[in-house]
Amino acid sequence: MNAIVTSMIANLYAEPNGTSELIDELLYGMPVQIIEELDGYWVRIQSTYQYEGYCRKVNLLLDNVKTSAWRLEASHVIRQSFADILQHPRIQSPKLMTLVRGSIVRALQDEELDSEWASIQLVTGERGYLRKKWLSEQIADNSLSEQDFRENVVQTALSYLTTPYRWGGKSPLGIDCSGLCSMAYMLNGVLIFRDAKIVEDFPIKEIALDQIQKGDLLYFPGHVALYLGDSLYVHSSIGGNEVTINSLNEQHPLYRKDLATTITAVGSYFAD
């Protein structure tokens, strides 16, 4: 059975219990595969990036046919941190719901619409409107040059600056270290492993530290960061409380010795 996320954010838990560890967040419009229906309240799911956990059934639309159609037709993604989806294309309009960056929707053609607005279809079939600049076509596969891709991944990661740290988080409401790095890549068409380690069969491969370039990943014990160049990196850490920039250079005011001296691996999408 396949399903689509219908809430702004659907929590993914380690166990079918709302008090268990939050391991990930599923964003609106994301398709998932149902591995097991436990009862009337909980299902075990696998995401498109092969992450598994337990989700409340109320946050999903369980329907194979609709999910298949959604995968084909919902090809746009929210780029704004938060975007109100309105009933009509005017700012005074009632709100249908609010979506966060990374949410997936279906764009609709409307030639009579003002150029500042975009028309979309929600999972429910409802039509909604939002500012056109907050919406972009989903990148299914990376087709950019290496230099452009690296720059885009960096800029995407930096768009989460000052976002509060949230264990298991993956949105502008709160994000953890691997959530930040995985979203920076996902929004640019590449699915990497969700946790802070290099895993076989995923596109990030280990390289030497002296080969690191912007957009590559720095791994520490239980932590991951995205390299910006010039010894700087962006990350979301418990110690920093939010998404911040730090340095590997001990002469730099943003230097963090606890991280700079405990690098366990460096990973790159462009490893030979």
Side-chain angles (χ1 to χ4, degrees):
M1 174 68 72
N2 295 311
I4 314 166
V5 177
T6 56
S7 57
M8 181 175 72
I9 297 173
N11 291 337
L12 197 63
Y13 295 96
E15 302 293 338
N17 186 321
T19 61
S20 70
E21 179 188 353
L22 176 68
I23 59 173
D24 194 14
E25 291 179 333
L26 304 168
L27 307 182
Y28 183 90
M30 287 185 170
V32 299
Q33 181 183 3
I34 305 298
I35 299 172
E36 179 185 6
E37 288 192 59
L38 279 73
D39 51 35
Y41 302 98
W42 291 94
V43 289
R44 182 172 177 81
I45 68 98
Q46 183 183 71
S47 69
T48 54
Y49 43 95
Q50 300 177 39
Y51 210 71
E52 296 184 11
Y54 296 91
C55 182
R56 286 189 174 94
K57 195 181 290 188
V58 69
N59 293 320
L60 303 170
L61 171 66
L62 280 67
D63 188 303
N64 277 326
V65 174
K66 289 184 178 180
T67 302
S68 295
W70 187 258
R71 285 178 182 271
L72 291 173
E73 299 167 2
S75 59
H76 282 68
V77 65
I78 302 298
R79 287 284 176 171
Q80 180 74 353
S81 295
F82 309 98
D84 285 343
I85 309 303
L86 307 176
Q87 291 183 14
H88 308 287
R90 56 177 185 270
I91 58 174
Q92 303 91 343
S93 172
K95 182 181 71 173
L96 292 172
M97 67 183 308
T98 300
L99 299 180
V100 296
R101 182 184 296 126
S103 301
I104 299 170
V105 295
R106 181 188 175 202
L108 300 175
Q109 295 294 325
D110 189 339
E111 295 179 359
E112 297 181 2
L113 199 60
D114 185 283
S115 61
E116 291 187 5
W117 292 90
S119 176
I120 63 165
Q121 185 183 64
L122 297 172
V123 177
T124 57
E126 291 177 282
R127 179 187 287 258
Y129 299 88
L130 75 161
R131 295 289 188 179
K132 193 172 186 177
K133 64 181 180 180
W134 295 349
L135 188 69
S136 67
E137 192 165 356
Q138 193 175 13
I139 302 172
D141 297 291
N142 169 41
S143 58
L144 297 174
S145 68
E146 178 177 343
Q147 182 178 357
D148 287 344
F149 179 81
R150 288 182 181 278
E151 185 61 36
N152 283 5
V153 166
V154 164
Q155 293 306 316
T156 302
L158 291 175
S159 71
Y160 288 90
L161 274 176
T162 73
T163 297
Y165 181 88
R166 175 187 290 174
W167 182 275
K170 206 168 65 183
S171 85
L173 285 168
I175 201 163
D176 66 10
C177 63
S178 55
L180 173 67
C181 294
S182 62
M183 286 304 295
Y185 274 80
M186 183 186 295
L187 288 169
N188 287 287
V190 175
L191 300 179
I192 68 172
F193 190 60
R194 169 67 170 88
D195 287 344
K197 58 183 176 181
I198 298 175
V199 174
E200 223 176 310
D201 298 328
F202 282 84
I204 300 298
K205 308 300 180 185
E206 189 167 357
I207 61 171
L209 179 58
D210 61 7
Q211 294 178 319
I212 195 169
Q213 298 183 54
K214 65 165 58 178
D216 289 337
L217 300 175
L218 285 159
Y219 293 90
F220 314 87
H223 189 55
V224 61
L226 193 138
Y227 189 67
L228 302 176
D230 297 324
S231 296
L232 298 173
Y233 58 92
V234 61
H235 63 136
S236 183
S237 69
I238 297 174
N241 297 317
E242 62 183 18
V243 177
T244 55
I245 294 173
N246 286 105
S247 176
L248 299 174
N249 182 356
E250 61 182 336
Q251 305 301 320
H252 197 284
L254 297 178
Y255 176 69
R256 273 188 60 171
K257 182 179 180 180
D258 63 321
L259 292 177
T261 58
T262 57
I263 297 171
T264 58
V266 178
S268 179
Y269 175 60
F270 296 99
D272 296 330

